[in-house]
Amino acid sequence: MLRPQHHLLSPPATISPSSAVSFPPLPPRVLPLRRRGAGTGTPLRGKTSSAVRASSAPGATESEVVVVVAHREVVRALASRAEARLGARLLPSAVPPDVAEFRSGGAGNAVGSLDVRRGAPGSTIDFMLQSSLHCKVPNGAIDITSLLIFLNASTDAPHFLMEIIQGSPTSIVVILDLLPRKDLGLHPEYIEKYYESTQVDKLREKIEELPQTRLYRSQSLFVRSAFSPTAILISIDCGQGGESTLEEIVYGQLATVANELLQIWLDCCADRASEMEEGERESMLKRDQIVRSKSIEVDLTSNLPRMFDPDVASRVIAEIRKAFGVEEA
Amino acid sequence: MLRPQHHLLSPPATISPSSAVSFPPLPPRVLPLRRRGAGTGTPLRGKTSSAVRASSAPGATESEVVVVVAHREVVRALASRAEARLGARLLPSAVPPDVAEFRSGGAGNAVGSLDVRRGAPGSTIDFMLQSSLHCKVPNGAIDITSLLIFLNASTDAPHFLMEIIQGSPTSIVVILDLLPRKDLGLHPEYIEKYYESTQVDKLREKIEELPQTRLYRSQSLFVRSAFSPTAILISIDCGQGGESTLEEIVYGQLATVANELLQIWLDCCADRASEMEEGERESMLKRDQIVRSKSIEVDLTSNLPRMFDPDVASRVIAEIRKAFGVEEA
């Protein structure tokens, strides 16, 4: 998950007062969304509606108004494209209902959803994980949306990872990478195969050209080390009154870049098994295991319990550990 | 050497005309420098003289006026401190005179110096390499100064690496790192030992606070992968008329940060052999070898021949290969 720890622990200082946005009780299906063509790769530049806003979900009563977060729509559309392409290589969702959707029992200020689909036997897919978390904080809310598609030991190709953290209606942090599975210092040919010949660095350059972007650096040195040298690690801050600008960027350039990266991953990484010597495969598996364990430790086990009641948090963490294939430390 | 390739191939667009600075014939010892207390860790904030200027070297005739480049003074003072501390752990310099100092034979527009001291038997030092290159280009000059102190296989501690590239009187690129020797994704304990407990990331934060700094990214994905997550990879651009500001930063904050990093390296990395299993040591050596070969390939073999006559370039490259312990590909 590689979630930047301090965003959850201490929300960005720029969080704006939420006076304009209310966070009403959520409908039974957490945050059902009106799909808006996001994630199709077509920039929707003309849009001007606000990034976080209230709208009626189909079938929702007046008290069940939903908050539509632009970035979540984009990530979900992306996930749908991946699902369509991977087809039968993904098994049906196998997450218990109380993990598929969960909320904090007490204060009721946090809701979340988690979906995990394992890869079918014989495929290169280990699992595909989607999650979204929404948590009220004193000055507003934090929304975190993740899409991870991890590969198994039949290939050494990078995993796909996207995570967006929204701490205010005008700013987000974007983490988007093809997560390497080998030591790049030891394997220049791996860089050539998956990062140079695919020209993924151009996508990073494209999004970083936007004047609203700043490089984002995780506080965890391990998390920083885990990313590829072409990782998109940025904050996009549109400043006061920049709600509609942020939404335009999210539905526009961000959706385009994320779609192109997913396409490259689907075409060049997800399809084929790699020939490897047994020792090479073992070493890759060991590395994978450490990256997964360490990410969960840095990320979820320290953060989820701060957002959700302990029993909810541990239920969700257990399910993520199961997907990641790592035991409790 | 990990020199960012495109800086030499295509100097930064910001190079200013050199009308104010002449590059006269150099004295026999290339660029002898007046030491100015730089590199002692004491910021010299009050200074206002220009970053690149002409001054008389002791014993120089009028035709042997030297160009003093602030960053070169700082790197040399740093090297002197390292030499003083390492003492007898460094063998005397063993570089032939025509590599210790060299210039392009034809146009005479490039001069350079290289010094390599091998580590004494039984020490942790593999070699210490200092080099400086000065090359006239149509609109000015490029100066590149490097200090590398690499360790041998008795320890897994990071190497020390500093490189400064100056493409105009008002801007430099700084590369400063404790270069890791293990796969950080596989070895979180290595991150903890050499990068977290030493708090080196604070030094990066300190220099990046300066408003004149921008993150610098090598075009080579391999080079980017080789650095630690705490590497200082920045450009410092003081804009038109910013010569004295740049000099203040170089003698001030940059010298301070570089000295502190060197101190940490001397205290925590250079002193002790590490216990390692034989397989671990072999794997580290293999990685070291690839990083060294690849760096030389990305860097020197493509760049030096563009600055110097072929026979000079190949003589110097051969000597650097010898220090690095890598054969021609």
Side-chain angles (χ1 to χ4, degrees):
Chain A
M1 298 282 278
L2 300 170
R3 180 165 305 137
Q5 189 174 358
H6 60 293
H7 261 271
L8 286 175
L9 299 180
S10 51
T14 51
I15 283 186
S16 339
S18 63
S19 53
V21 186
S22 59
F23 294 95
L26 288 150
R29 174 78 199 171
V30 176
L31 306 173
L33 297 166
R34 290 196 298 113
R35 295 284 160 93
R36 301 167 47 179
T40 59
T42 315
L44 302 174
R45 298 248 193 161
K47 302 185 37 34
T48 53
S49 50
S50 71
V52 178
R53 59 192 182 147
S55 66
S56 292
T61 67
E62 274 196 312
S63 68
E64 287 171 338
V65 175
V66 234
V67 175
V68 175
V69 179
H71 84 240
R72 197 188 298 130
E73 280 198 298
V74 168
V75 177
R76 292 206 174 170
L78 209 67
S80 295
R81 280 194 60 213
E83 286 178 320
R85 166 78 175 260
L86 296 174
R89 285 185 274 168
L90 292 171
L91 298 177
S93 175
V95 169
D98 61 354
V99 171
E101 292 166 16
F102 49 94
R103 62 180 66 214
S104 60
N109 62 342
V111 291
S113 70
L114 175 71
D115 187 41
V116 179
R117 297 183 63 180
R118 314 286 325 194
S123 78
T124 57
I125 309 295
D126 188 9
F127 66 85
M128 170 166 163
L129 181 154
Q130 292 181 69
S131 77
S132 74
L133 305 173
H134 168 88
C135 180
K136 277 194 238 182
V137 291
N139 292 329
I142 297 182
D143 276 278
I144 302 174
T145 312
S146 310
L147 171 62
L148 281 66
I149 321 180
F150 274 38
L151 299 174
N152 61 28
S154 69
T155 173
D156 65 4
H159 304 308
F160 180 88
L161 179 147
M162 181 170 198
E163 192 153 62
I164 301 187
I165 301 131
Q166 179 147 18
S168 91
T170 58
S171 68
I172 54 174
V173 167
V174 178
I175 296 169
L176 181 53
D177 195 24
L178 304 187
L179 204 63
R181 299 171 74 194
K182 286 196 169 179
D183 176 12
L184 303 183
L186 194 57
H187 295 287
E189 80 289 350
Y190 191 88
I191 299 179
E192 163 61 29
K193 181 175 181 184
Y194 292 114
Y195 300 95
E196 276 169 358
S197 69
T198 55
Q199 303 198 17
V200 286
D201 206 38
K202 290 209 160 81
L203 299 176
R204 184 193 57 72
E205 286 171 4
K206 199 191 270 185
I207 194 90
E208 286 182 11
E209 272 170 13
L210 291 173
Q212 293 88 352
T213 62
R214 294 285 172 274
L215 296 191
Y216 171 78
R217 220 184 283 257
S218 166
Q219 282 186 331
S220 157
L221 300 185
F222 181 83
V223 168
R224 284 189 219 164
S225 305
F227 290 113
S228 84
T230 64
I232 293 170
L233 303 165
I234 52 168
S235 64
I236 304 178
D237 191 340
C238 298
Q240 214 178 358
E243 287 85 350
S244 63
T245 308
L246 179 64
E247 201 180 50
E248 276 177 44
I249 292 172
V250 168
Y251 284 120
Q253 291 94 331
L254 181 61
T256 302
V257 160
N259 267 289
E260 288 181 26
L261 190 68
L262 177 66
Q263 195 61 48
I264 290 170
W265 184 81
L266 288 166
D267 292 341
C268 307
C269 301
D271 267 1
R272 276 178 302 278
S274 318
E275 280 184 29
M276 275 180 279
E277 288 172 24
E278 217 34 59
E280 212 181 331
R281 197 184 310 274
E282 267 169 42
S283 150
M284 186 191 74
L285 276 174
K286 191 175 162 197
R287 191 179 196 280
D288 249 26
Q289 203 70 5
I290 290 169
V291 170
R292 292 175 183 206
S293 303
K294 188 76 187 168
S295 307
I296 286 183
E297 177 198 314
V298 167
D299 180 2
L300 294 170
T301 52
S302 55
N303 290 328
L304 265 174
R306 305 178 79 105
M307 297 175 79
F308 294 90
D309 299 335
D311 60 322
V312 176
S314 62
R315 214 160 58 215
V316 176
I317 290 172
E319 207 62 35
I320 294 172
R321 279 195 195 284
K322 210 162 85 184
F324 273 49
V326 295
E327 298 303 313
E328 197 156 352
Chain B
M1 298 283 279
L2 300 171
R3 180 165 306 136
Q5 191 173 357
H6 60 293
H7 260 270
L8 285 175
L9 299 180
S10 51
T14 51
I15 283 187
S16 340
S18 64
S19 54
V21 186
S22 60
F23 295 95
L26 288 149
R29 176 77 198 171
V30 176
L31 306 174
L33 297 166
R34 291 196 298 112
R35 294 285 159 91
R36 300 166 48 179
T40 59
T42 315
L44 303 173
R45 298 248 192 167
K47 303 187 34 35
T48 52
S49 51
S50 72
V52 178
R53 59 188 181 147
S55 67
S56 292
T61 68
E62 275 196 310
S63 68
E64 286 170 338
V65 175
V66 236
V67 176
V68 175
V69 179
H71 83 242
R72 199 188 296 130
E73 282 198 296
V74 168
V75 177
R76 291 205 175 172
L78 209 66
S80 296
R81 279 193 61 213
E83 286 177 321
R85 165 79 176 260
L86 297 174
R89 283 185 275 168
L90 292 171
L91 298 177
S93 175
V95 169
D98 62 354
V99 170
E101 292 165 16
F102 48 95
R103 61 181 66 214
S104 60
N109 62 343
V111 291
S113 69
L114 175 71
D115 187 40
V116 179
R117 298 183 64 179
R118 314 286 325 192
S123 79
T124 57
I125 309 294
D126 188 8
F127 66 85
M128 168 166 165
L129 182 153
Q130 292 181 69
S131 77
S132 75
L133 305 173
H134 168 86
C135 181
K136 278 194 237 180
V137 292
N139 294 329
I142 297 182
D143 276 277
I144 303 174
T145 311
S146 309
L147 171 61
L148 281 67
I149 320 179
F150 274 38
L151 299 174
N152 61 29
S154 69
T155 172
D156 65 3
H159 305 308
F160 180 87
L161 180 147
M162 179 171 200
E163 193 153 62
I164 301 188
I165 300 131
Q166 178 148 20
S168 90
T170 58
S171 68
I172 56 174
V173 167
V174 178
I175 296 169
L176 182 54
D177 195 25
L178 305 186
L179 204 64
R181 298 172 75 194
K182 286 197 169 178
D183 176 12
L184 303 182
L186 195 55
H187 296 285
E189 79 291 351
Y190 191 88
I191 300 179
E192 163 60 28
K193 180 175 181 185
Y194 292 115
Y195 300 95
E196 276 170 359
S197 69
T198 56
Q199 304 199 15
V200 285
D201 206 38
K202 289 209 161 82
L203 298 176
R204 184 192 58 72
E205 286 170 3
K206 199 192 268 185
I207 193 90
E208 286 182 10
E209 272 170 11
L210 290 173
Q212 293 89 350
T213 63
R214 293 285 172 276
L215 295 191
Y216 170 78
R217 219 184 281 257
S218 166
Q219 282 186 332
S220 157
L221 299 185
F222 181 82
V223 167
R224 283 189 219 163
S225 306
F227 290 112
S228 84
T230 64
I232 293 171
L233 303 164
I234 52 167
S235 65
I236 304 179
D237 191 341
C238 297
Q240 217 179 353
E243 287 86 351
S244 63
T245 308
L246 180 64
E247 202 181 50
E248 276 176 44
I249 291 173
V250 168
Y251 285 119
Q253 292 94 332
L254 181 60
T256 302
V257 160
N259 267 290
E260 287 180 27
L261 190 67
L262 177 67
Q263 196 59 50
I264 289 170
W265 183 81
L266 288 166
D267 292 342
C268 307
C269 302
D271 268 0
R272 276 177 301 278
S274 320
E275 280 184 29
M276 273 179 281
E277 288 173 22
E278 218 33 58
E280 211 181 333
R281 197 182 311 273
E282 267 170 41
S283 148
M284 186 191 73
L285 276 175
K286 191 176 163 197
R287 191 179 196 280
D288 249 24
Q289 202 69 5
I290 290 170
V291 170
R292 292 174 183 208
S293 302
K294 189 77 186 165
S295 307
I296 286 184
E297 178 197 313
V298 167
D299 180 0
L300 294 169
T301 52
S302 56
N303 290 328
L304 264 173
R306 306 176 79 106
M307 298 175 79
F308 294 91
D309 299 334
D311 60 321
V312 177
S314 61
R315 216 161 57 218
V316 176
I317 290 172
E319 208 62 35
I320 294 172
R321 278 195 196 287
K322 211 162 86 186
F324 273 48
V326 296
E327 297 304 312
E328 197 156 349

